[in-house]
Amino acid sequence: MPTSVTYTAVPDVRRSTAEHPAGLLRDHRIVARTRKGRRALGCFKQAVLVLRWFLDGTRLAQLARDNGLSVSTSYRYLHEGLAVLAAGAPDLSTALERAKAAGLTHLNLDGTVIRTDRAAAPGPNGADLRWSGKHKHHGGNVQVIATPDGWPIWVSPVRPGREHDTTCARHHGLVEALNRIAAELDMPTLVDLGYENAGDGFRHPFKKPAGGELTECQGQGGADPALRGGAPAVLG
């Protein structure tokens, strides 16, 4: 009698979601002139491996066992899939050109710290570059530009988790680019107070003064219609 236990899992995505990276992997293999039969997994199964890692954080050892691979091969297949997906992502200039063509009223910008482990790195004065004092864990800061309905159109490379959102935005050229698009097209960018004083192209909530109250105009998002009905204007 076997001593191991097996089960079938169904990822919570449509098949077309796996078919897209599978197609990218197929094109990558064609360009790399990978001969038929030289890979342990076909493009679709490799795409599913990558999706399981994204969706469930499945450990590489588990992915290796499920696919009859060595752990080192699983790492290689995962990072190949990640590289192929990253290569297809639009750069900042392309994303902003698409936003212009779509005639959007405004953009949204926010940063998030992606939790990670085994990523400690020494910084100035003995500080850990990857440690976020705000979130109390190691991670990397990622900046995301989204459309008014929240759909992401550009995601930045990773910066150290301890860096402030405005610092990361300046490093990636976002402050200059988003101020420029606001001036040229009257397309402001809505942000939180982490980007205060980033420039005239940024619209952030008004902070309630100590011992005071917001004016009626400030409470409604100021004179800018992009803020009214959008981000909350009052932060206690």
Side-chain angles (χ1 to χ4, degrees):
M1 176 180 291
T3 58
S4 60
V5 177
T6 61
Y7 66 95
T8 300
V10 181
D12 188 21
V13 294
R14 295 180 178 180
R15 184 178 180 87
S16 59
T17 302
E19 288 173 345
H20 175 67
L24 297 177
L25 287 165
R26 179 201 59 211
D27 294 342
H28 171 73
R29 293 186 185 187
I30 291 173
V31 171
R33 297 183 179 181
T34 302
R35 295 197 300 273
K36 188 176 181 179
R38 294 298 301 272
R39 293 297 193 97
L41 294 184
C43 295
F44 186 81
K45 286 189 175 182
Q46 184 180 356
V48 171
L49 181 152
V50 175
L51 286 176
R52 287 183 63 192
W53 183 82
F54 270 121
L55 292 169
D56 302 323
T58 308
R59 291 182 177 275
L60 268 296
Q62 182 66 52
L63 293 173
R65 285 194 298 270
D66 291 348
N67 290 281
L69 306 172
S70 67
V71 174
S72 61
T73 299
S74 292
Y75 270 106
R76 188 167 68 252
Y77 279 13
L78 171 64
H79 286 282
E80 181 182 47
L82 296 177
V84 167
L85 288 171
D91 59 19
L92 178 59
S93 177
T94 300
L96 294 182
E97 287 297 328
R98 291 175 180 174
K100 290 181 185 179
L104 301 180
T105 58
H106 64 277
L107 296 170
N108 298 315
L109 172 66
D110 199 6
T112 185
V113 175
I114 305 298
R115 182 189 292 269
T116 186
D117 58 4
R118 292 178 291 180
N125 302 319
D128 190 335
L129 283 176
R130 301 295 178 181
W131 178 258
S132 170
K134 176 181 178 181
H135 298 280
K136 307 302 181 185
H137 61 71
H138 287 87
N141 185 299
V142 175
Q143 301 288 302
V144 181
I145 298 177
T147 58
D149 63 0
W151 185 261
I153 60 173
W154 183 82
V155 179
S156 76
V158 180
R159 294 292 299 168
R162 73 185 298 268
E163 288 192 357
H164 192 273
D165 279 336
T166 303
T167 301
C168 294
R170 292 188 188 281
H171 178 86
H172 298 307
L174 294 178
V175 172
E176 179 182 355
L178 294 175
N179 275 319
R180 183 174 64 251
I181 198 173
E184 293 175 354
L185 301 175
D186 192 24
M187 186 191 298
T189 299
L190 272 60
V191 294
D192 59 29
L193 285 170
Y195 301 88
E196 194 174 12
N197 300 319
D200 293 338
F202 292 80
R203 304 289 187 271
H204 57 75
F206 292 95
K207 188 173 183 179
K208 185 177 179 180
E213 296 292 336
L214 295 175
T215 66
E216 182 178 355
C217 182
Q218 290 173 332
Q220 294 178 352
D224 194 331
L227 279 177
R228 292 199 291 272
V234 180
L235 295 179

